[in-house]
Amino acid sequence: MTTQTASLALAPADLGTRLIAVVIDGLVLGLVYLVLITIIAVGAVVQGDINIVAAASRSVLWALLSAAYFAYGWTKWKASPGQRVMGLRTVKAEDGQPEQVGGFVSFVIQLLVLVYYVYLYRTASADPRRQGFHDKQVGSIVVKIAA
């Protein structure tokens, strides 16, 4: 069986179904993230320390949570939880066999995202106005509004 013949025999998921799966994944991730961030925020308020560390923690937490969520789903079930709900699976295009999703390239990309977030944190923490690299690029600054 040729690659083209095998890939034509597979029934690709329609874009609407894939979009719904992404929305489900976003809602699940967002809910878990909201719970974790609430815990972090309450801890920061109790300690009286609301600053750039809290913002950086949220960014790093989101990157790690997303990486774990998709890596686990794609490794364990060959689908994200949203894909599973919608009856989707990620397979090799040439033969329909289970795809080894997540591998080395995914790991490197997630590592680069984490390094980028750490870089943003470091640039913001080293700046007297707490402007990170990204803030300076767009001319923004995060301020605390007086109560």
Side-chain angles (χ1 to χ4, degrees):
M1 180 181 286
T2 68
T3 300
Q4 185 177 7
T5 306
S7 60
L8 290 176
L10 299 172
D14 64 273
L15 293 180
T17 303
R18 290 180 69 174
L19 177 63
I20 293 169
V22 168
V23 169
I24 291 169
D25 288 330
L27 291 172
V28 171
L29 268 171
L31 182 62
V32 172
Y33 177 73
L34 181 63
V35 168
L36 293 175
I37 286 306
T38 301
I39 293 168
I40 290 171
V42 167
V45 168
V46 167
Q47 294 177 10
D49 182 23
I50 302 173
N51 60 22
I52 191 68
V53 174
S57 298
R58 291 189 299 270
S59 296
V60 171
L61 177 63
W62 181 254
L64 293 174
L65 179 63
S66 297
Y69 178 87
F70 287 106
Y72 181 81
W74 287 334
T75 302
K76 179 77 172 168
W77 304 309
K78 307 302 180 218
S80 70
Q83 287 175 317
R84 289 187 74 199
V85 168
M86 298 307 296
L88 305 177
R89 178 174 276 190
T90 302
V91 298
K92 292 181 183 177
E94 66 266 4
D95 59 10
Q97 295 299 310
E99 177 65 78
Q100 292 302 320
V101 179
F104 181 72
V105 173
S106 179
F107 171 76
V108 169
I109 290 170
Q110 291 297 329
L111 185 61
L112 290 173
V113 168
L114 181 59
V115 167
Y116 178 67
Y117 283 141
V118 169
Y119 171 71
L120 294 180
Y121 164 74
R122 299 281 295 153
T123 58
S125 66
D127 186 80
R129 296 181 69 195
R130 299 295 183 235
Q131 285 179 289
F133 171 78
H134 59 302
D135 294 316
K136 290 180 180 180
Q137 296 307 304
V138 297
S140 67
I141 186 169
V142 178
V143 297
K144 184 174 181 178
I145 299 173

